[in-house]
Amino acid sequence: MELAKRDDVPVELTWDLSLIYPTEEAMLADAQKMKELSLSMEASYKGNLTDAATITHCLDDYQEVYRLITLTANYCDLAVSVDYYNSANQTRNDRINSLISEIFSRLTFIESELSEQSEDVLNEAMQQSDTNRYYLAEILRNKAHRLSPETERAISALSQTFSAPYQIYNMAKLADMKFDSFTVNGKEYPLGYSLFEDNYEYEKDTDIRRSAFSAFSAKIRQYENVTAAAYNAQLQTEKTMATLRGFDSVIDSLLFPQQVSRELYNRQIDLITTRLAPHMRKYARLLKKIHNLDHMTFADLKIAVDPEYDPSVTIEESKQYIEKGLAILGDDYVSMIQEAYKKRWVDFAQNQGKSTGGFCASPYGKGSFILLSWNNRMADVFTLAHELGHAGHFRLCNGAQAILDTEVSSYFVEAPSTMNELLMAHYLLKTNPDKRFRRWVLSCMISNTYYHNFVTHLMEAAYQREVYKLIDAGDSVQAETLSSIMKETLQKFWGDDVEISDDAALTWMRQPHYYMGLYSYTYSAGLTVATQVCKRIETEGQTAVDDWKKVLTAGSTKTPEELAKMAGVDISTDAPLLDTIETIGSIIDEICELTEELGC
């Protein structure tokens, strides 16, 4: 069935952006307000940030500007994300982004002047205001990598230009690609980006699934050069900025804001690619056996262990699952879930021009906005629980911290989301002792939670690390090079158990994470923490839950290592990661054992 146009989607399936602003006019009023406040700040504070009191007043005003920027930017960008065909929304978004670039450029004097102050003055300012303390500490940490005030202002003014590669990628993917239908055994099937990723990848009919993969790959291959050009532009920009700021490599520059060492980054990639691979190859062999496949291909990796058992779940039914599954996090958390459904935080719709995948945006003080495409599968329930994990995290974080202290390191930010997936699975396991049901839940944990975060995104991370090696060596990348790196990465992980074709090599074209710095590897990092904390909750109960909720309030006032330690996990060693890998292996072993017992 062809996807509907956005205007034809039932309103109850869409999110309600009026929760941010009741009207466009209200948003534009705030846009004008933040512009005027930035001009006033420039006139009042530029050249005067020499004492603690003035610094405190300036940063208090800056927090208000930043709050307004967050609200206006989200209001406009979220409207675009659900309909890339809507040119009016894109024009409005571009206009607001230009204004934001102008404001940030105007206010770059703040960080430049603060960086020039003595530690004594900054420490005094930290003592005067709790809400500015960690922002000022970050100024000190960044001091060695600051450029001249004029250079910083110019760089900030170019922020919209720097984001152009990602915009080009999205426009090619979500607006320009028009998929033709494909035919299998005389029947015609419609095809689209979300139709493929949300439906055909999980299709139990092998002929349909593989034909869809072939047709999808043929279409995206037509855009491989423009996609590679956009990505190369992103990479060269990152390399230039890393060099200007005095970093030895792009990787070091991208890890710096995450407050993560090279050791943690490399460990996450190296241990998973070596230690997890044997377990996942065993899982691939099981899928091949269960589905009686002639050979195992990349297109077959997301099929269910027991597709006949996967229940259809409506949006209303998902509410009951999620409320009960996450009830362990407390009545306040359940109330947030109920609010999300009641007040239309979630955009469930499937429509043309909508972003693929899922995400959660949580503008300060305004709840959250979750994007996904509902397909009536239990996998959608896990996805929604995942995104509600982000919502719950930032409800607690935003409620406890000043806006400048809510930029949580991306190394940790996927821990609350993946935690919710695990809690959902553990809840389901307790509801039914039937072996077939247990196998189904365990296979959901592998195929949804762990596969997505420990395999899909980890392969992205391993691929991305090889790409940055080329960039640091002074090279550029083209489509042929990127496909070659991805193919080699996948072959190394799957070995002889999965056939990796040239179509599979095009996987590098499908993910937006490459335009977000070193984000891909953080999914497995967050899930490692979540796995360990979930085990604590299973054994210690409320004490572990209380510790976890304290972690969620901490925001950016703690480093990733400190946040994990608050939750009882020591990520300074490889023990949590190795234990998580063994946990995945034990789940796969049990799925295999249950399959033998069930005889199917």
Side-chain angles (χ1 to χ4, degrees):
M1 192 168 107
E2 293 287 351
L3 291 181
K5 294 180 179 179
R6 182 67 181 183
D7 290 342
D8 296 330
V9 170
V11 68
E12 63 268 20
L13 297 180
T14 66
W15 53 27
D16 181 9
L17 295 184
S18 71
L19 295 172
I20 306 178
Y21 289 108
T23 63
E24 181 176 358
E25 288 71 26
M27 182 276 296
L28 292 173
D30 266 2
Q32 181 63 25
K33 181 179 177 181
M34 68 192 189
K35 179 180 180 179
E36 292 173 356
L37 182 54
S38 70
L39 288 166
S40 173
M41 290 175 66
E42 184 180 36
S44 300
Y45 300 120
K46 190 172 184 179
N48 297 319
L49 297 180
T50 56
D51 62 89
T54 305
I55 290 171
T56 298
H57 290 312
C58 178
L59 291 183
D60 288 346
D61 284 345
Y62 181 67
Q63 290 197 51
E64 175 61 9
V65 170
Y66 192 62
R67 184 185 72 84
L68 295 175
I69 286 174
T70 299
L71 298 183
T72 56
N74 273 282
Y75 182 81
C76 296
D77 185 63
L78 291 172
V80 170
S81 69
V82 294
D83 188 4
Y84 271 82
Y85 292 153
N86 189 313
S87 58
N89 284 345
Q90 289 192 39
T91 298
R92 183 181 65 184
N93 193 43
D94 289 343
R95 188 181 302 121
I96 290 298
N97 283 336
S98 293
L99 175 60
I100 290 171
S101 294
E102 174 190 324
I103 291 171
F104 276 134
S105 178
R106 180 178 298 123
L107 298 182
T108 54
F109 77 86
I110 297 173
E111 289 193 15
S112 294
E113 292 188 24
L114 291 178
S115 296
E116 294 171 356
Q117 298 307 311
S118 68
E119 288 194 24
D120 288 342
V121 170
L122 294 183
N123 284 330
E124 184 181 351
M126 289 184 206
Q127 295 303 314
Q128 285 193 7
S129 173
D130 285 339
T131 61
N132 297 326
R133 178 180 303 169
Y134 294 98
Y135 176 82
L136 289 168
E138 195 65 7
I139 291 289
L140 287 172
R141 195 174 76 89
N142 278 277
K143 196 170 185 178
H145 300 289
R146 291 286 299 180
L147 303 174
S148 70
E150 296 79 10
T151 304
E152 291 291 351
R153 180 162 186 159
I155 289 171
S156 184
L158 289 169
S159 61
Q160 195 170 8
T161 303
F162 292 156
S163 67
Y166 184 40
Q167 292 177 326
I168 293 169
Y169 167 78
N170 271 330
M171 289 301 292
K173 173 181 174 180
L174 301 173
D176 285 349
M177 286 188 194
K178 302 294 191 300
F179 291 82
D180 297 323
S181 59
F182 63 98
T183 303
V184 178
N185 299 323
K187 184 177 179 180
E188 193 171 310
Y189 296 87
L191 183 61
Y193 225 106
S194 61
L195 276 175
F196 173 73
E197 292 193 336
D198 297 332
N199 290 279
Y200 292 124
E201 279 199 296
Y202 306 93
E203 169 61 48
K204 64 182 179 180
D205 186 299
T206 299
D207 289 340
I208 297 174
R209 182 178 64 254
R210 291 180 178 175
S211 295
F213 182 69
S214 178
F216 176 82
S217 300
K219 173 55 66 174
I220 66 172
R221 182 177 279 107
Q222 295 174 8
Y223 293 81
E224 63 179 348
N225 292 314
V226 68
T227 306
Y231 184 32
N232 186 60
Q234 174 77 19
L235 294 166
Q236 300 302 333
T237 299
E238 290 172 341
K239 173 60 176 173
T240 298
M241 292 308 304
T243 301
L244 285 174
R245 295 197 180 281
F247 289 98
D248 293 333
S249 72
V250 181
I251 289 177
D252 288 334
S253 73
L254 296 176
L255 288 176
F256 185 80
Q258 294 181 4
Q259 301 187 57
V260 170
S261 68
R262 270 284 192 117
E263 180 186 3
L264 263 67
Y265 168 73
N266 285 325
R267 176 199 299 157
Q268 204 70 27
I269 297 173
D270 293 336
L271 285 182
I272 294 175
T273 52
T274 55
R275 300 293 187 92
L276 181 63
H279 298 300
M280 292 310 302
R281 292 174 188 178
K282 182 176 182 178
Y283 183 70
R285 292 193 296 271
L286 176 66
L287 291 177
K288 179 184 176 184
K289 178 181 178 181
I290 288 174
H291 292 275
N292 195 29
L293 300 175
D294 52 347
H295 61 293
M296 191 71 183
T297 75
F298 188 78
D300 303 320
L301 285 169
K302 292 190 176 181
I303 51 178
V305 166
D306 193 351
E308 303 297 336
Y309 199 78
D310 195 12
S312 177
V313 184
T314 66
I315 292 171
E316 184 58 33
E317 289 168 340
S318 73
K319 183 173 179 286
Q320 306 305 316
Y321 276 114
I322 292 175
E323 282 185 20
K324 293 176 181 177
L326 302 182
I328 193 171
L329 295 176
D331 292 341
D332 57 336
Y333 207 95
V334 172
S335 294
M336 181 207 70
I337 294 168
Q338 293 169 340
E339 183 180 350
Y341 282 89
K342 183 179 180 180
K343 293 190 175 181
R344 289 174 41 216
W345 288 10
V346 187
D347 201 276
F348 294 100
Q350 294 190 51
N351 62 263
Q352 298 175 21
K354 182 177 177 178
S355 294
T356 59
F359 66 74
C360 175
S362 299
Y364 195 77
K366 294 290 183 177
S368 290
F369 297 87
I370 294 169
L371 179 143
L372 53 82
S373 295
W374 194 262
N375 293 278
N376 295 312
R377 290 195 178 97
M378 184 57 74
D380 300 325
V381 179
F382 280 91
T383 299
L384 183 50
H386 175 108
E387 301 304 343
L388 284 166
H390 289 305
H393 181 191
F394 284 98
R395 166 158 284 202
L396 290 170
C397 174
N398 291 350
Q401 305 295 339
I403 191 169
L404 296 181
D405 293 336
T406 59
E407 296 293 327
V408 181
S409 169
S410 57
Y411 184 91
F412 183 84
V413 80
E414 292 297 338
S417 53
T418 52
M419 165 68 84
N420 277 13
E421 294 188 57
L422 296 178
L423 292 176
M424 282 294 304
H426 282 261
Y427 160 75
L428 290 172
L429 287 172
K430 295 172 183 176
T431 63
N432 190 334
D434 179 74
K435 288 184 178 181
R436 191 176 182 189
F437 180 84
R438 182 174 181 83
R439 182 181 66 166
W440 169 72
V441 175
L442 293 174
S443 66
C444 282
M445 293 177 71
I446 296 300
S447 62
N448 294 325
T449 302
Y450 285 110
Y451 186 96
H452 189 66
N453 298 288
F454 261 74
V455 181
T456 298
H457 293 319
L458 201 280
M459 291 298 95
E460 295 173 23
Y463 152 85
Q464 193 177 31
R465 185 171 63 173
E466 296 306 307
V467 170
Y468 279 123
K469 287 179 182 178
L470 293 178
I471 299 303
D472 275 329
D475 293 332
S476 61
V477 292
Q478 294 77 39
E480 183 179 357
T481 304
L482 297 172
S483 290
S484 175
I485 294 173
M486 179 57 78
K487 188 172 187 178
E488 184 177 341
T489 300
L490 294 172
Q491 286 174 330
K492 181 179 178 182
F493 186 82
W494 291 108
D496 295 331
D497 289 294
V498 180
E499 176 187 294
I500 304 299
S501 64
D502 289 340
D503 285 349
L506 295 176
T507 303
W508 66 268
M509 295 181 64
R510 294 170 52 186
Q511 291 292 351
H513 298 125
Y514 309 129
Y515 301 86
M516 304 173 186
L518 296 177
Y519 194 55
S520 296
Y521 88 101
T522 66
Y523 282 90
S524 58
L527 183 51
T528 298
V529 173
T531 300
Q532 300 305 307
V533 176
C534 190
K535 288 186 175 185
R536 273 198 68 204
I537 290 175
E538 289 292 308
T539 56
E540 300 177 33
Q542 193 60 46
T543 299
V545 171
D546 292 343
D547 286 346
W548 182 241
K549 292 175 81 170
K550 288 177 185 176
V551 171
L552 300 185
T553 66
S556 56
T557 65
K558 303 291 183 182
T559 68
E561 193 167 327
E562 290 169 340
L563 289 170
K565 189 174 183 179
M566 286 175 65
V569 183
D570 183 7
I571 60 172
S572 68
T573 74
D574 59 9
L577 180 55
L578 289 174
D579 182 75
T580 299
I581 292 171
E582 288 308 306
T583 298
I584 297 171
S586 67
I587 294 173
I588 292 173
D589 288 344
E590 185 174 355
I591 293 171
C592 292
E593 292 167 6
L594 288 169
T595 299
E596 288 296 318
E597 293 176 19
L598 292 166
C600 61

